[in-house]
Amino acid sequence: MTTGDAAFDFKYLDPYYPYILTSVNTTVTDGTASAGLMTRAVQSAEDKMTATFNIRFFDFVDGWKYAPRTPQAGDSVRIDYRLDGGEWQRAATFTTLPEADAATGLITLYATVNGTANKQVEFRYTRYTATENTANCLESVYISKEITCFPPVSLTVDTANVTDTQIALQWKDHFNTAATYSVAYQTADAATDAPWTPVTANGPTVTLTGLNPNTAYRMKVQAVCTDENVSAFNHTPAGFATYNGLPYDESMGNVYNSPTDYTTPGERGVKTYVGQLGGTWREENNYETWNTAYSASGRTSDIARAMGTYEEATNAILVTPQIYTREATRLTFKLNSFSLRKDADNNFELIANGSTPSEADCRLMVAVSNHGAFTQEDVVLTLTGAKLNLVNQTFQFDIAETGLMQIAFFFENPVEHWFTTTSAFNLEVYDVAFTTIPNDYTLTLNAQPAEGGTVSGAGVYAEGASVSITAKANEGYDFVAWMNDGVERSKSATYTLQMPSANTTYTAIFRARTPDEPTEHELTLTASPANGGRISGDGFYFTGEDVTIQAEANTGYKFVAWVNGTDTLSKEATYAFKMPDRDTAFTAKFVQNTAIETLAQTGFSVSATQGQIQIRNLNGLTVKSVTIYTLTGERLARFPSDSREDLSLPVTGRRALCFVCIDTEKGTVVYKVFLP
């Protein structure tokens, strides 16, 4: 062979253990040796050479199986060498063998020999044992120039000291007497040529800090015997992931980057099981448990936006990944129940949000645990039977325990109900969040000058809380602005702020009015519904000043009227008036176009007399029902019909604009009428 390092891989054609066996002992007495295994000759250019042997030990069981074995008393290894084909000489004897590497199961032995310069070097490996039915295999031999600083082994993670931002490592060093260590790490998804981050350790442990939550890392270690003498890295890098940290925010739905690129809750660490609280579990992802495929409510236009379950499941469990916490936390989540029907093409259609289980004993339990299991003592919420009739309801709990927390949702249904054409009860959970409990801070309000007016809204509020503050000018003064830390925050007398993470002070600035100066008042405009359209013209105006306000409907909506409370001001989108001597609020009312656009298609004539709504059915369509609403959306009356005749319906209310909603066989139409 040529001069330089040489490596030998020994392979034994065994489908279970592909290494060469040095012996399989059936009857062995103390001191019995295996057959010696020899390397090929290596031409050495160095005066000292080191042979590195990687070996394994086995028990021979059941007549044919090999089980990993820890060397015991009586097990020893002898390594010999010879130069240029001469006599064999002893290189090393190991009567006590080091521990196997925790990751690979390999025992590594080193043997260094002298006087090898310009000579052919061979090594021979011999195993001795006093134990029957044992085997020993030699996986590889690496022959190199002298090694005096040896790689550590058994690099493992101290799982008790892993958090959301740190990983603790430990390793063993069987051969170096005085060394420091260099640990290198990188994220598990880093490219093969990506740099590693180095960390120095003075002993066989180190804690990597400043890591990213919920991230997988790989780590390796080498010994530093002197500045010039550094070992190779350990045989196999260790891998581990940090835990989730705070805030933890899980939608429980598929998160889409594009229609074909998305992540599922399962890919983010959420697990689903079949089992019971305090009982045995098995991991599943089908109709028996929770799944994004079973979320098809009217809460969102898409399925797969929540984790859902239904009455075919009897013992379904949904569990978050572990979340590391250092302080008391706040758990929030949302629940929604709904019923579905299925058409001939297996498409789902929502019947209604808010449904009750078929079985009165059906229940949901929510538990929070920091001990790796769930018991009845961990349950923070139990909902049974009719209490599961929920419509997008938010639940919130403060959790005092800290450490590695997990949240579990246990759905228990005593009787399985198969989904045929309808599903009476479906349940979904979404928007699960685990956050620190916000601290409370003091909001102080001042008036400047003090005689200029009054202020309200001061108090103690949680960080991030939405707080409304109000300033009211005294006679002879006008409100100017809210000031905070020397910055003008708002010219509106009523202002909503987000409470900061510190005590804070807001000052209402008032200005004295000169004699005969007109009074300035605030005009507030709102849209109903908020997404129905855009409005303009709000602000501050002097008494008697000309004001013009405008409303513009968004796509899919139609402007109805400007209203002040229950009074209709104008049915025109542009409305002009003089500012009254007071603060004033107007609302722009909008309705969806879909109902108005079907007006000509249905053929009804709707009118109102005192106490009656008259409906003439011009085309003889079947009227299923008639519902009458106020302008603010309050339902005045509903009349089931199933008739093709003209209708005269009693209604309470006078001098008010209302909507008459007629549900027909051809669709739904809406008419505006004025009750005299």
Side-chain angles (χ1 to χ4, degrees), residues 233-302:
F233 282 99
N234 64 299
H235 191 279
T236 303
F240 207 76
T242 53
Y243 296 113
N244 287 274
L246 297 178
Y248 174 77
D249 190 2
E250 174 56 67
S251 69
M252 287 295 174
N254 294 346
V255 176
Y256 289 82
N257 299 315
S258 72
T260 57
D261 178 22
Y262 61 90
T263 61
T264 66
E267 290 172 320
R268 299 189 297 272
V270 176
K271 300 291 186 182
T272 55
Y273 303 86
V274 173
Q276 291 181 310
L277 178 68
T280 58
W281 301 3
R282 72 175 189 275
E283 189 170 352
E284 292 286 357
N285 184 25
N286 56 28
Y287 73 93
E288 294 182 274
T289 185
W290 299 78
N291 197 295
T292 55
Y294 309 138
S295 172
S297 73
R299 180 181 60 82
T300 173
S301 59
D302 302 321

Side-chain angles (χ1 to χ4, degrees), residues 14 123 125 135 246 264:
D14 184 308
F123 286 90
Y125 172 92
L246 297 178
T264 66

Side-chain angles (χ1 to χ4, degrees), residues 162-182:
V162 176
T163 71
D164 55 332
T165 59
Q166 73 175 39
I167 295 176
L169 299 173
Q170 55 195 8
W171 56 89
K172 294 183 179 178
D173 189 343
H174 298 308
F175 301 104
N176 301 307
T177 56
T180 59
Y181 302 91
S182 177

Side-chain angles (χ1 to χ4, degrees), residues 231-518:
S231 78
F233 282 99
N234 64 299
H235 191 279
T236 303
F240 207 76
T242 53
Y243 296 113
N244 287 274
L246 297 178
Y248 174 77
D249 190 2
E250 174 56 67
S251 69
M252 287 295 174
N254 294 346
V255 176
Y256 289 82
N257 299 315
S258 72
T260 57
D261 178 22
Y262 61 90
T263 61
T264 66
E267 290 172 320
R268 299 189 297 272
V270 176
K271 300 291 186 182
T272 55
Y273 303 86
V274 173
Q276 291 181 310
L277 178 68
T280 58
W281 301 3
R282 72 175 189 275
E283 189 170 352
E284 292 286 357
N285 184 25
N286 56 28
Y287 73 93
E288 294 182 274
T289 185
W290 299 78
N291 197 295
T292 55
Y294 309 138
S295 172
S297 73
R299 180 181 60 82
T300 173
S301 59
D302 302 321
I303 63 172
R305 295 291 184 174
M307 273 292 196
T309 190
Y310 60 116
E311 292 183 302
E312 282 191 27
T314 55
N315 293 289
I317 306 173
L318 174 67
V319 184
T320 68
Q322 291 178 308
I323 307 159
Y324 190 83
T325 68
R326 297 172 176 81
E327 55 189 311
T329 47
R330 177 162 292 166
L331 167 65
T332 58
F333 57 88
K334 296 178 181 177
L335 297 174
N336 185 57
S337 62
F338 55 97
S339 54
L340 295 174
R341 66 170 60 92
K342 184 167 58 176
D343 62 20
D345 296 324
N346 286 328
N347 296 316
F348 295 104
E349 179 185 2
L350 177 69
I351 299 175
N353 278 315
S355 63
T356 300
S358 302
E359 302 297 324
D361 292 337
C362 180
R363 68 176 177 175
L364 175 75
M365 292 181 290
V366 182
V368 181
S369 169
N370 66 348
H371 52 82
F374 292 92
T375 66
Q376 191 65 45
E377 287 72 27
D378 301 315
V379 174
V380 297
L381 174 68
T382 300
L383 298 171
T384 304
K387 290 186 178 180
L388 284 167
N389 190 323
L390 306 165
V391 178
N392 300 327
Q393 186 165 336
T394 300
F395 294 86
Q396 178 177 292
F397 300 93
D398 287 347
I399 309 300
E401 292 78 13
T402 61
L404 278 177
M405 312 298 295
Q406 278 185 292
I407 307 149
F409 297 83
F410 295 86
F411 177 73
E412 297 182 355
N413 181 33
V415 178
E416 186 177 24
H417 291 268
W418 284 90
F419 192 153
T420 54
T421 58
T422 61
S423 178
F425 179 76
N426 303 261
L427 182 66
E428 59 185 355
V429 57
Y430 59 101
D431 290 352
V432 177
F434 217 40
T435 61
T436 57
I437 299 174
N439 294 320
D440 291 336
Y441 296 98
T442 300
L443 171 62
T444 302
L445 300 180
N446 296 323
Q448 182 180 325
E451 64 273 16
T454 58
V455 292
S456 61
V460 177
Y461 299 96
E463 175 188 351
S466 181
V467 182
S468 179
I469 57 178
T470 302
K472 185 177 180 181
N474 289 334
E475 186 68 28
Y477 287 85
D478 291 320
F479 172 77
V480 177
W482 281 107
M483 301 291 292
N484 169 249
D485 293 334
V487 178
E488 181 182 297
R489 301 298 183 183
S490 176
K491 290 183 179 296
S492 174
T494 298
Y495 173 62
T496 300
L497 61 98
Q498 298 297 117
M499 192 66 192
S501 57
N503 297 331
T504 191
T505 299
Y506 277 71
T507 300
I509 305 299
F510 296 97
R511 175 176 58 87
R513 194 181 315 132
T514 59
D516 301 324
E517 182 181 352

Side-chain angles (χ1 to χ4, degrees), residues 151-211:
V153 297
S154 296
L155 176 63
T156 57
V157 174
D158 179 6
T159 56
N161 288 298
V162 176
T163 71
D164 55 332
T165 59
Q166 73 175 39
I167 295 176
L169 299 173
Q170 55 195 8
W171 56 89
K172 294 183 179 178
D173 189 343
H174 298 308
F175 301 104
N176 301 307
T177 56
T180 59
Y181 302 91
S182 177
V183 176
Y185 68 93
Q186 61 181 193
T187 58
D189 59 359
T192 54
D193 59 349
W196 294 70
T197 301
V199 175
T200 299
N202 291 322
T205 62
V206 72
T207 298
L208 307 179
T209 60
L211 306 180

